Amino acid sequence: VWREDSWWYCVMGSHTKVGGAAILYRSKNLEQWEYLGPLLTGQKEKTASSWEFVNFFSLGKKHFLTASLYNTWKSIYFSGTYHNHQFSSDFWTDLDSGGHFYAPYIFSDDQKRQIMMAWSWEGRHEDLFIAAGWSGVHILPRVLSSQSDGSLRFYPIPELQRLRGNHQHLQNKQIQLKDEKILSTVKGNMVEIVAVLEPGNSQSVGLRVLASPECEEETLISFEQTSKKITIDRRKASLDNRVHKHVYRAQPVPMKHHGLISLEEGESLTLQVFVDRSVVEVFVNNRLCMTSRIYPTRQDSTGIGLFVTGGSAKLRSLDVWQMNPIWPT
């Protein structure tokens, strides 16, 4: 719901025979509503036949519509222009490519920031979360901004820095093939990590988190040089066979660069990763986000490391903060 001149407007998700739709209404008093028609209708072959949790907002010179695609566990956004109650989209793409992001809601705060929150669903057998007594968690708040090409940028809300505790820092180290003990003293399952990397001639380079000492359990976050894709590899994330263990790769979709990290000349690869027990949230150069759920079984699966395959890469800097709980103890 938003206000425009003397009218209130409301957009809601819907189902049509040709594809999901965002339906637009308006009202003078928030009680009687006038139906204006579809704001945007998708194609069911590409963007499903039913949409829910839709949001509509402007950033810069562009308008954006988000939708969660029913029965797909996927959320997308459209970018385009808005005129005379019609939204014309230039392209659409994923809001998050980590497989565990759904039902975002977006609001403007008192600083005029567009802030997005969302639900991260479980990645384990139903029996496990029934036994736990809860299902799903909220992701961290993200501040949205727009790029010149009309795509979105994503930033963890700066207020999260208040939760930072003990800090460790490394810089200017060459990562050689199979050099996996460079961070042997850095551990934690509630941490913020910022790694600035130069991929060099490596095939892939990245971080391992929530790893046991011999890597029986580990989750890998990597940049693949040839494909330019970011991957979250959860195949060894848990020794419990009731936990889902998919590999998620940010896939290119009908838009410029999304799912791919094409580094500009002189630009480093920056992985900002938040680990909060079963949640891993990854921000890649603030252009791409991936949220996944993992469930290590071992108490010592708290290791953090760097890895490289097929060559060498350079670690320009790495910062790790232990994160304090938001709730007072």
Side-chain angles (χ1 to χ4, degrees):
V1 177
W2 72 96
R3 190 166 179 81
E4 198 175 307
D5 299 323
S6 61
W7 289 93
W8 288 97
Y9 290 84
C10 172
V11 64
M12 62 187 298
S14 187
H15 166 95
T16 76
K17 291 182 179 179
V18 297
I23 307 300
L24 185 64
Y25 296 82
R26 70 177 180 179
S27 172
K28 287 285 190 179
N29 58 13
L30 293 174
E31 293 181 354
Q32 287 82 36
W33 291 88
E34 174 190 359
Y35 171 66
L36 297 178
L39 180 67
L40 181 72
T41 302
Q43 299 173 281
K44 65 181 180 180
E45 296 82 8
K46 297 180 179 179
T47 58
S49 59
S50 295
W51 293 353
E52 53 184 354
F53 304 105
V54 294
N55 301 266
F56 188 60
F57 60 97
S58 64
L59 272 174
K61 297 180 180 180
K62 288 286 187 177
H63 277 76
F64 297 89
L65 176 77
T66 76
S68 293
L69 311 184
Y70 184 67
N71 270 349
T72 70
W73 299 107
K74 183 176 182 179
S75 295
I76 63 174
Y77 74 87
F78 298 84
S79 174
T81 56
Y82 175 59
H83 183 67
N84 287 336
H85 306 143
Q86 293 293 315
F87 177 59
S88 300
S89 175
D90 303 321
F91 60 75
W92 64 269
T93 186
D94 292 353
L95 269 171
D96 187 290
S97 301
H100 291 259
F101 174 102
Y102 200 72
Y105 56 96
I106 297 163
F107 59 92
S108 179
D109 73 351
D110 56 3
Q111 299 177 45
K112 306 300 182 185
R113 299 179 298 183
Q114 293 288 356
I115 296 175
M116 178 174 69
M117 298 185 71
W119 176 58
S120 182
W121 55 280
E122 296 293 314
R124 52 183 176 169
H125 193 276
E126 184 178 352
D127 291 347
L128 293 175
F129 55 81
I130 289 176
W134 53 275
S135 174
V137 297
H138 272 85
I139 66 163
L140 298 173
R142 299 174 184 175
V143 180
L144 305 180
S145 69
S146 60
Q147 298 189 85
S148 58
D149 66 355
S151 59
L152 287 174
R153 280 185 177 264
F154 309 90
Y155 301 86
I157 197 168
E159 285 85 343
L160 291 169
Q161 295 175 17
R162 299 175 191 171
L163 301 178
R164 287 175 174 174
N166 182 54
H167 176 221
Q168 292 172 274
H169 175 75
L170 291 172
Q171 66 181 29
N172 296 328
K173 290 186 179 290
Q174 196 75 15
I175 312 168
Q176 300 296 336
L177 184 64
K178 297 184 179 178
D179 184 0
E180 299 172 349
K181 298 184 182 296
I182 193 169
L183 303 179
S184 59
T185 61
V186 182
K187 301 179 185 299
N189 64 1
M190 293 172 59
V191 293
E192 177 187 353
I193 306 166
V194 179
V196 182
L197 299 156
E198 294 178 4
N201 64 358
S202 64
Q203 291 179 3
S204 65
V205 62
L207 289 165
R208 55 168 38 86
V209 297
L210 296 180
S212 59
E214 300 300 324
C215 296
E216 298 91 344
E217 288 186 325
E218 63 177 355
T219 295
L220 304 180
I221 302 159
S222 65
F223 170 63
E224 298 173 351
Q225 218 29 321
T226 303
S227 67
K228 309 299 182 188
K229 293 181 183 178
I230 300 293
T231 296
I232 295 183
D233 186 341
R234 300 154 63 242
R235 287 175 294 181
K236 294 172 62 179
S238 177
L239 295 175
D240 190 335
N241 290 327
R242 296 170 295 174
V243 170
H244 304 165
K245 298 175 183 177
H246 303 88
V247 176
Y248 288 107
R249 288 181 173 85
Q251 298 293 335
V253 287
M255 116 172 220
K256 252 191 229 180
H257 302 318
H258 187 81
L260 309 179
I261 294 297
S262 298
L263 300 177
E264 306 293 337
E265 185 176 352
E267 183 184 16
S268 298
L269 174 73
T270 300
L271 300 177
Q272 185 171 12
V273 180
F274 292 86
V275 178
D276 186 5
R277 302 183 190 272
S278 70
V279 186
V280 175
E281 293 187 51
V282 182
F283 296 76
V284 187
N285 291 50
N286 297 115
R287 298 203 291 266
L288 174 69
C289 289
M290 300 182 77
T291 302
S292 285
R293 302 295 301 279
I294 55 178
Y295 307 89
T297 62
R298 294 174 51 141
Q299 292 296 316
D300 59 356
S301 290
T302 58
I304 298 168
L306 293 162
F307 70 92
V308 62
T309 62
S312 65
K314 185 176 182 181
L315 172 68
R316 290 189 59 185
S317 66
L318 184 132
D319 292 275
V320 180
W321 290 270
Q322 301 295 323
M323 297 294 281
N324 296 313
I326 194 170
W327 301 110
T329 56

